[in-house]
């Protein structure tokens, strides 16, 4: 059967001070559709998958410290579908742990791996492409399928994948090459060629296939994961997980699985995902989901006068943020931190958080 896992373990440090270690960005109610209630990126990711799969075949992988918050945010998530990492060991081990548990529940499972950090619309188009990617795995059981976003601009912040020959499944091609984040001129050439897609970091494969790939290319992780799943579910498995998982080699699934597999012709495929796609990893990205008010992007209670190009956010509905004569700035107010920076320096928020932690420890992180 077909399953999906939402990877929801990130901390979202570039959205500080709204996103914190105790409540990361994927759990914040920052998205809103029309007059509906605000909801989180994680809740939207779960609902998006329900267009393809029943709730009982949707899993979530997150840090153990977020477990209670995830359960509260996703009432339709089955308790046994929550995968908790005791520590972060990068995506190869997170994906591997989820795949091992899914394979235990369903040895023939086909598994989609998606992120909780994305806004993807329209949902219907996403659902159609995900179904197509599943079809490609059914047709080629050893395939590793990545979802490639149709690029709309020469973005330098994303990796790219180049299409190769078409497969027997319409909308799916062999992946000819993976490219790291390019400079501007290279990104423009990629866009003009029409051959390149943004690498979304979302995948579809058989759970057993990715575990076999880990056994081939990252045997220490494969052996550790096998030990974890061999333990009886419950307290005994939790103890083995706490002992073994922190010792696994820390590396990404791209490096451990996709790059080696890509050397085998036809092993890695790419499915075209032609959607509006937003990776909500920074304040300028989040601003694209906020309401527009007098030339500013606004979340919460704010009044502006002779101010434009700003990103203004207050997480307290009773706390007013007022701006006069301010241009092109990020202004964020929380109960214990007010952060102001030029929009052009928004990518330095992670660096700012490091400076705050140096001076004040973990108090404000």
């Amino acid at each position: 059967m077909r399953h999906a896992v939402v990877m929801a373990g990130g901390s979202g440090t570039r959205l500080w001070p709204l996103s914190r270690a105790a409540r990361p960005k994927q759990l914040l109610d920052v998205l809103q559709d029309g007059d509906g209630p605000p909801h989180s990126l994680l809740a939207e990711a779960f609902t998006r998958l329900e267009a393809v799969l029943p709730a009982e075949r949707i899993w979530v992988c997150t840090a153990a410290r977020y477990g209670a918050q995830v359960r509260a945010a996703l009432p339709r998530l089955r308790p046994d579908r929550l995968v908790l990492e005791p520590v972060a060991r990068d995506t190869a081990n997170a994906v591997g742990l989820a795949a091992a548990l899914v394979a235990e529940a369903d040895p023939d499972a086909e598994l989609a791996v998606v992120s909780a950090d994305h806004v993807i619309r329209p949902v219907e188009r996403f659902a159609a492409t995900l179904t197509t990617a599943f079809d490609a795995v059914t047709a080629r059981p050893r395939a590793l399928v990545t979802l490639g976003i149709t690029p709309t601009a020469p973005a330098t912040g994303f990796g790219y994948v180049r299409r190769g020959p078409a497969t027997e499944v319409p909308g799916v091609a062999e992946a000819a090459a993976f490219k790291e984040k390019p400079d501007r001129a290279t990104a423009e050439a990629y866009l003009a060629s029409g051959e390149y897609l943004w690498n979304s970091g979302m995948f579809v494969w058989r759970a057993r296939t990715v575990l076999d790939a880990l056994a081939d290319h990252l045997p220490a992780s494969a052996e550790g994961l096998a030990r974890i799943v061999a333990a009886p579910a419950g307290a005994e498995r939790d103890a083995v997980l706490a002992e073994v998982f922190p010792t696994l080699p820390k590396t990404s699934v791209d490096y451990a699985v996709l790059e080696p597999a890509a050397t085998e012709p036809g092993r890695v495929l790419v499915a075209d995902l032609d959607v509006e796609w937003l990776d909500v990893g920074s304040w300028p990205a989040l601003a694209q989901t906020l309401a527009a008010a007098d030339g500013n992007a606004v979340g919460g209670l704010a009044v502006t006068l002779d101010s434009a190009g700003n990103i203004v956010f207050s997480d307290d509905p009773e706390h007013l943020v007022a701006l006069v004569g301010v241009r092109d700035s990020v202004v964020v107010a929380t109960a214990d931190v007010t952060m102001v920076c030029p929009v052009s320096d928004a990518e330095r928020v992670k660096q700012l958080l490091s400076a705050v932690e140096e001076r004040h420890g973990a108090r404000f992180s």
Side-chain angles (χ1 to χ4, degrees):
M1 288 189 291
R2 295 174 173 181
H3 298 249
V5 57
V6 183
M7 308 306 293
S11 58
T13 52
R14 289 182 296 159
L15 282 177
W16 185 83
L18 184 63
S19 181
R20 303 292 183 95
R23 189 166 175 79
K25 66 178 179 181
Q26 62 268 25
L27 288 164
L28 299 170
D29 291 332
V30 294
L31 302 180
Q32 191 162 5
D33 296 323
D35 296 328
H39 59 276
S40 67
L41 286 159
L42 176 60
E44 181 155 307
F46 192 91
T47 301
R48 189 162 56 236
L49 285 172
E50 286 185 298
V52 182
L53 299 167
E56 61 265 23
R57 282 191 263 131
I58 300 175
W59 304 62
V60 174
C61 181
T62 190
R65 66 182 183 273
Y66 302 144
Q69 293 182 67
V70 169
R71 290 187 185 96
L74 300 176
R76 297 188 301 281
L77 176 68
R78 269 179 42 171
D80 62 343
R81 295 325 195 207
L82 183 58
V83 180
L84 298 177
E85 299 175 273
V87 296
R89 298 304 293 168
D90 216 325
T91 56
N93 297 298
V95 169
L97 178 60
L101 294 173
V102 172
E104 179 189 40
D106 179 2
D108 295 321
E110 297 172 349
L111 179 63
V113 178
V114 304
S115 172
D117 298 344
H118 301 160
V119 174
I120 302 174
R121 292 168 184 164
V123 170
E124 296 78 11
R125 204 176 296 166
F126 166 81
T129 300
L130 190 63
T131 299
T132 296
F134 274 123
D135 292 343
V137 170
T138 300
R140 298 190 183 190
R142 292 186 68 251
L144 305 167
V145 183
T146 185
L147 303 188
I149 308 293
T150 304
T152 57
T156 59
F158 302 137
Y160 286 73
V161 56
R162 184 165 66 86
R163 292 189 195 91
T167 71
E168 66 274 26
V169 179
V172 179
E174 295 182 4
F178 287 88
K179 301 294 185 180
E180 298 297 329
K181 297 175 182 178
D183 58 26
R184 179 77 182 186
T186 302
E188 289 174 349
Y190 287 170
L191 183 65
S193 74
E195 297 179 357
Y196 288 84
L197 303 168
W198 289 333
N199 190 357
S200 71
M202 297 185 287
F203 313 101
V204 180
W205 41 46
R206 293 182 70 249
R208 191 72 257 163
T209 297
V210 74
L211 292 171
D212 289 345
L214 285 173
D216 289 340
H217 304 293
L218 201 65
S221 283
E223 291 164 10
L225 294 169
R227 279 185 59 195
I228 292 166
V229 177
E236 188 172 342
R237 178 176 291 174
D238 291 344
V240 177
L241 177 65
E243 174 194 351
V244 172
F245 199 80
T247 70
L248 303 182
K250 191 173 184 179
T251 188
S252 72
V253 71
D254 298 80
Y255 181 79
V257 174
L258 289 176
E259 289 185 18
T263 62
E264 181 182 339
R267 182 78 188 281
V268 180
L269 310 180
V270 57
D272 288 22
L273 182 55
D274 185 10
V275 292
E276 295 178 19
W277 177 69
L278 180 63
D279 185 359
V280 186
S282 65
W283 282 107
L286 181 62
Q288 295 181 53
T289 74
L290 302 178
D294 300 322
N296 304 287
V298 175
L301 193 59
V303 174
T304 63
L305 178 64
D306 190 26
S307 299
N310 300 295
I311 303 166
V312 188
F313 200 100
S314 172
D315 71 347
D316 181 348
E318 302 300 320
H319 185 98
L320 172 68
V321 178
L323 275 61
V324 59
V326 178
R327 296 281 191 279
D328 302 321
S329 295
V330 182
V331 182
V332 182
T334 69
D336 58 347
V337 177
T338 299
M339 191 274 292
V340 181
C341 77
V343 172
S344 60
D345 280 336
E347 293 295 327
R348 299 181 63 196
V349 169
K350 184 175 181 179
Q351 180 184 344
L352 174 62
L353 175 57
S354 296
V356 169
E357 289 172 338
E358 272 186 33
R359 298 186 189 185
H360 299 283
R363 178 183 171 190
F364 297 109
S365 60

